[in-house]
Coordinates of all heavy atoms in Angstrom, one line a residue:
N1 N -115.1 69.3 -200.7 CA -115.5 69.9 -199.4 C -116.5 69.0 -198.7 O -116.5 69.0 -197.4 CB -116.0 71.3 -199.5 CG -114.9 72.3 -199.6 OD1 -113.7 72.0 -199.2 ND2 -115.1 73.5 -200.2
A2 N -117.3 68.4 -199.4 CA -118.4 67.5 -198.8 C -117.8 66.4 -198.0 O -118.5 65.8 -197.2 CB -119.3 67.0 -199.9
L3 N -116.6 66.0 -198.3 CA -116.0 64.8 -197.6 C -115.0 65.3 -196.6 O -114.3 64.4 -196.0 CB -115.3 63.9 -198.7 CG -116.2 63.3 -199.7 CD1 -115.4 62.4 -200.6 CD2 -117.3 62.5 -199.0
V4 N -114.9 66.6 -196.3 CA -114.0 67.1 -195.3 C -114.7 67.3 -194.0 O -115.8 67.8 -194.0 CB -113.4 68.4 -195.9 CG1 -112.5 69.1 -194.8 CG2 -112.5 68.2 -197.1
P5 N -114.1 66.9 -192.9 CA -114.7 67.2 -191.6 C -115.0 68.7 -191.5 O -114.1 69.5 -191.8 CB -113.6 66.8 -190.6 CG -112.9 65.7 -191.3 CD -112.8 66.1 -192.7
K6 N -116.2 69.1 -191.1 CA -116.6 70.5 -191.1 C -115.7 71.4 -190.2 O -115.7 72.6 -190.4 CB -118.1 70.6 -190.8 CG -118.5 70.2 -189.4 CD -120.0 70.3 -189.2 CE -120.4 69.9 -187.8 NZ -121.9 70.0 -187.7
T7 N -115.0 70.7 -189.2 CA -114.1 71.5 -188.4 C -113.0 72.1 -189.2 O -112.3 73.0 -188.7 CB -113.6 70.7 -187.3 OG1 -112.9 69.5 -187.8 CG2 -114.7 70.2 -186.3
M8 N -112.7 71.6 -190.4 CA -111.6 72.1 -191.2 C -112.0 73.2 -192.1 O -111.2 73.7 -192.8 CB -111.0 70.9 -192.0 CG -110.5 69.8 -191.2 SD -109.0 70.2 -190.2 CE -107.8 70.5 -191.5
H9 N -113.3 73.6 -192.1 CA -113.7 74.7 -193.0 C -113.5 76.0 -192.3 O -113.7 76.1 -191.1 CB -115.2 74.5 -193.2 CG -115.6 73.3 -194.0 ND1 -116.9 72.9 -194.2 CD2 -114.8 72.4 -194.7 CE1 -116.9 71.8 -194.9 NE2 -115.6 71.5 -195.2
N10 N -113.0 77.0 -193.0 CA -112.5 78.2 -192.4 C -113.2 79.5 -192.8 O -112.6 80.6 -192.7 CB -111.0 78.4 -192.7 CG -110.2 77.4 -191.9 OD1 -110.1 77.5 -190.7 ND2 -109.6 76.4 -192.6
H11 N -114.4 79.4 -193.3 CA -115.2 80.6 -193.7 C -115.4 81.5 -192.5 O -115.8 81.0 -191.4 CB -116.6 80.2 -194.2 CG -117.4 81.4 -194.6 ND1 -117.2 82.1 -195.7 CD2 -118.5 81.9 -193.9 CE1 -118.1 83.1 -195.7 NE2 -118.9 83.0 -194.7
G12 N -115.1 82.7 -192.6 CA -115.2 83.7 -191.5 C -114.0 83.8 -190.7 O -113.9 84.7 -189.7
N13 N -112.9 83.0 -190.9 CA -111.7 83.1 -190.1 C -110.6 84.0 -190.8 O -110.8 84.4 -192.0 CB -111.1 81.7 -189.9 CG -112.1 80.8 -189.1 OD1 -112.8 81.3 -188.3 ND2 -112.0 79.5 -189.3
Y14 N -109.5 84.2 -190.1 CA -108.5 85.1 -190.6 C -107.1 84.4 -190.6 O -106.9 83.6 -189.6 CB -108.4 86.4 -189.8 CG -109.5 87.3 -190.0 CD1 -110.7 87.1 -189.4 CD2 -109.4 88.4 -190.8 CE1 -111.8 88.0 -189.5 CE2 -110.4 89.3 -191.0 CZ -111.7 89.1 -190.4 OH -112.7 90.0 -190.5
I15 N -106.3 84.6 -191.5 CA -104.9 84.2 -191.5 C -104.1 85.3 -190.8 O -104.1 86.4 -191.2 CB -104.3 84.0 -192.9 CG1 -105.1 82.9 -193.7 CG2 -102.8 83.5 -192.8 CD1 -104.8 82.9 -195.2
I16 N -103.4 84.9 -189.7 CA -102.8 86.0 -188.8 C -101.4 85.5 -188.4 O -101.0 84.3 -188.5 CB -103.6 86.3 -187.6 CG1 -103.6 85.1 -186.6 CG2 -105.1 86.7 -188.0 CD1 -104.1 85.5 -185.2
S17 N -100.7 86.4 -187.8 CA -99.5 86.2 -187.0 C -99.9 86.3 -185.6 O -100.4 87.3 -185.1 CB -98.4 87.2 -187.3 OG -97.5 87.3 -186.2
V18 N -99.8 85.1 -184.9 CA -100.2 85.1 -183.4 C -99.2 86.0 -182.6 O -99.6 86.6 -181.6 CB -100.3 83.7 -182.9 CG1 -100.7 83.7 -181.4 CG2 -101.3 82.9 -183.7
G19 N -98.0 86.1 -183.1 CA -97.0 87.0 -182.4 C -97.5 88.4 -182.4 O -97.4 89.1 -181.4
N20 N -98.0 88.8 -183.6 CA -98.5 90.2 -183.8 C -99.8 90.4 -183.0 O -100.0 91.5 -182.5 CB -98.6 90.5 -185.2 CG -97.3 90.7 -185.9 OD1 -96.3 90.9 -185.3 ND2 -97.3 90.6 -187.3
L21 N -100.6 89.4 -182.9 CA -101.8 89.5 -182.1 C -101.5 89.7 -180.7 O -102.1 90.5 -180.0 CB -102.7 88.2 -182.3 CG -103.9 88.1 -181.4 CD1 -104.9 89.2 -181.8 CD2 -104.6 86.8 -181.5
A22 N -100.4 88.9 -180.2 CA -100.0 89.1 -178.8 C -99.5 90.5 -178.5 O -99.8 91.1 -177.5 CB -98.9 88.0 -178.5
R23 N -98.8 91.0 -179.5 CA -98.3 92.4 -179.3 C -99.4 93.4 -179.2 O -99.4 94.3 -178.4 CB -97.3 92.8 -180.5 CG -96.0 91.9 -180.5 CD -95.1 92.3 -181.6 NE -93.9 91.5 -181.6 CZ -93.6 90.4 -182.3 NH1 -94.6 89.9 -183.1 NH2 -92.5 89.8 -182.2
W24 N -100.4 93.2 -180.0 CA -101.6 94.1 -179.9 C -102.3 93.9 -178.6 O -102.7 94.9 -178.0 CB -102.5 93.8 -181.1 CG -103.7 94.6 -181.2 CD1 -103.8 95.9 -181.7 CD2 -105.1 94.3 -180.7 NE1 -105.1 96.4 -181.6 CE2 -105.9 95.4 -181.0 CE3 -105.6 93.2 -180.1 CZ2 -107.3 95.4 -180.6 CZ3 -107.0 93.2 -179.8 CH2 -107.8 94.3 -180.1
L25 N -102.5 92.7 -178.2 CA -103.2 92.4 -176.9 C -102.4 93.0 -175.7 O -103.0 93.6 -174.8 CB -103.3 90.9 -176.7 CG -104.4 90.2 -177.5 CD1 -104.3 88.7 -177.3 CD2 -105.8 90.7 -177.1
A26 N -101.0 93.0 -175.8 CA -100.2 93.6 -174.8 C -100.4 95.1 -174.7 O -100.5 95.6 -173.6 CB -98.7 93.3 -175.1
G27 N -100.6 95.7 -175.9 CA -100.9 97.2 -175.9 C -102.2 97.5 -175.2 O -102.3 98.4 -174.4
R28 N -103.2 96.7 -175.5 CA -104.5 96.9 -174.9 C -104.5 96.6 -173.4 O -105.1 97.3 -172.6 CB -105.6 95.9 -175.5 CG -105.9 96.2 -177.0 CD -106.4 97.6 -177.3 NE -107.7 97.9 -176.7 CZ -108.9 97.8 -177.3 NH1 -109.0 97.4 -178.5 NH2 -110.0 98.1 -176.6
A29 N -103.7 95.6 -173.0 CA -103.5 95.3 -171.6 C -102.9 96.4 -170.8 O -103.3 96.8 -169.7 CB -102.7 94.0 -171.4
E30 N -101.8 97.0 -171.4 CA -101.2 98.1 -170.7 C -102.1 99.3 -170.6 O -102.0 100.1 -169.6 CB -99.9 98.4 -171.5 CG -98.8 97.4 -171.3 CD -97.5 97.6 -172.0 OE1 -97.6 98.2 -173.2 OE2 -96.4 97.3 -171.5
E31 N -102.9 99.6 -171.6 CA -103.9 100.7 -171.6 C -104.8 100.5 -170.4 O -105.3 101.5 -169.8 CB -104.7 100.7 -172.9 CG -103.9 101.2 -174.1 CD -104.6 101.1 -175.4 OE1 -105.8 100.7 -175.3 OE2 -104.1 101.3 -176.5
L32 N -105.1 99.2 -170.1 CA -106.0 98.9 -169.0 C -105.3 99.0 -167.6 O -106.0 98.8 -166.6 CB -106.7 97.6 -169.2 CG -107.7 97.5 -170.3 CD1 -108.0 96.1 -170.8 CD2 -109.0 98.2 -169.9
G33 N -104.0 99.0 -167.6 CA -103.3 99.1 -166.3 C -102.5 97.9 -166.0 O -102.0 97.8 -164.8
V34 N -102.3 97.0 -166.9 CA -101.5 95.8 -166.6 C -100.0 96.1 -166.7 O -99.6 96.8 -167.6 CB -101.8 94.6 -167.6 CG1 -101.0 93.4 -167.3 CG2 -103.3 94.2 -167.5
E35 N -99.2 95.6 -165.7 CA -97.8 95.7 -165.8 C -97.2 94.5 -166.5 O -97.5 93.4 -166.1 CB -97.2 95.9 -164.4 CG -97.6 97.1 -163.7 CD -96.8 97.3 -162.4 OE1 -95.5 97.4 -162.5 OE2 -97.4 97.5 -161.4
I36 N -96.5 94.7 -167.6 CA -95.9 93.6 -168.4 C -94.4 93.7 -168.3 O -93.8 94.8 -168.6 CB -96.3 93.6 -169.8 CG1 -97.9 93.5 -169.9 CG2 -95.7 92.5 -170.6 CD1 -98.5 93.6 -171.3
F37 N -93.7 92.6 -167.9 CA -92.3 92.6 -167.8 C -91.7 91.6 -168.8 O -91.5 90.4 -168.5 CB -91.8 92.2 -166.4 CG -92.3 93.1 -165.3 CD1 -92.6 92.6 -164.0 CD2 -92.5 94.4 -165.5 CE1 -93.1 93.4 -163.0 CE2 -93.0 95.3 -164.4 CZ -93.2 94.7 -163.2
P38 N -91.3 92.0 -170.0 CA -90.7 91.1 -170.9 C -89.2 91.0 -170.6 O -88.6 91.9 -170.0 CB -90.9 91.8 -172.3 CG -91.0 93.3 -172.0 CD -91.6 93.3 -170.6
G39 N -88.6 89.8 -171.0 CA -87.2 89.6 -170.8 C -86.9 89.0 -169.4 O -85.7 89.0 -169.0
F40 N -87.9 88.6 -168.7 CA -87.7 88.0 -167.3 C -88.4 86.7 -167.3 O -89.6 86.5 -167.5 CB -88.3 89.0 -166.3 CG -87.6 90.3 -166.1 CD1 -88.0 91.4 -166.8 CD2 -86.4 90.4 -165.3 CE1 -87.3 92.6 -166.7 CE2 -85.8 91.6 -165.2 CZ -86.2 92.7 -165.9
A41 N -87.6 85.7 -167.0 CA -88.0 84.3 -167.0 C -88.5 83.8 -165.6 O -87.7 84.0 -164.7 CB -86.9 83.3 -167.5
A42 N -89.7 83.3 -165.5 CA -90.1 82.7 -164.3 C -89.4 81.3 -164.1 O -89.7 80.4 -164.9 CB -91.6 82.5 -164.3
S43 N -88.5 81.3 -163.2 CA -87.6 80.1 -163.1 C -88.1 79.1 -162.1 O -87.8 77.9 -162.2 CB -86.2 80.5 -162.9 OG -86.1 81.1 -161.6
E44 N -88.7 79.5 -161.0 CA -89.1 78.6 -159.9 C -90.4 79.0 -159.3 O -90.8 80.1 -159.4 CB -88.0 78.7 -158.8 CG -86.6 78.2 -159.2 CD -85.7 78.3 -158.0 OE1 -86.1 78.2 -156.8 OE2 -84.5 78.4 -158.3

């Protein structure tokens, strides 16, 4: 560890699914009044 760049140390961090984090954030956003439209692609 002494020879590893300290940016690579992960004490205090979590292993997560970012997809699941996004789903949770979407729930919080909707509680706050955000309108979310999945399945619609911004094309232009």
Side-chain angles (χ1 to χ4, degrees):
N1 279 340
L3 297 181
V4 172
K6 62 182 181 181
T7 55
M8 300 293 291
H9 296 167
N10 287 293
H11 177 74
N13 296 334
Y14 289 79
I15 302 169
I16 69 165
S17 157
V18 178
N20 288 341
L21 175 64
R23 293 178 178 98
W24 181 81
L25 286 171
R28 297 299 299 261
E30 289 178 325
E31 290 171 5
L32 288 163
V34 176
E35 294 188 57
I36 301 178
F37 300 150
F40 293 94
S43 65
E44 295 180 28

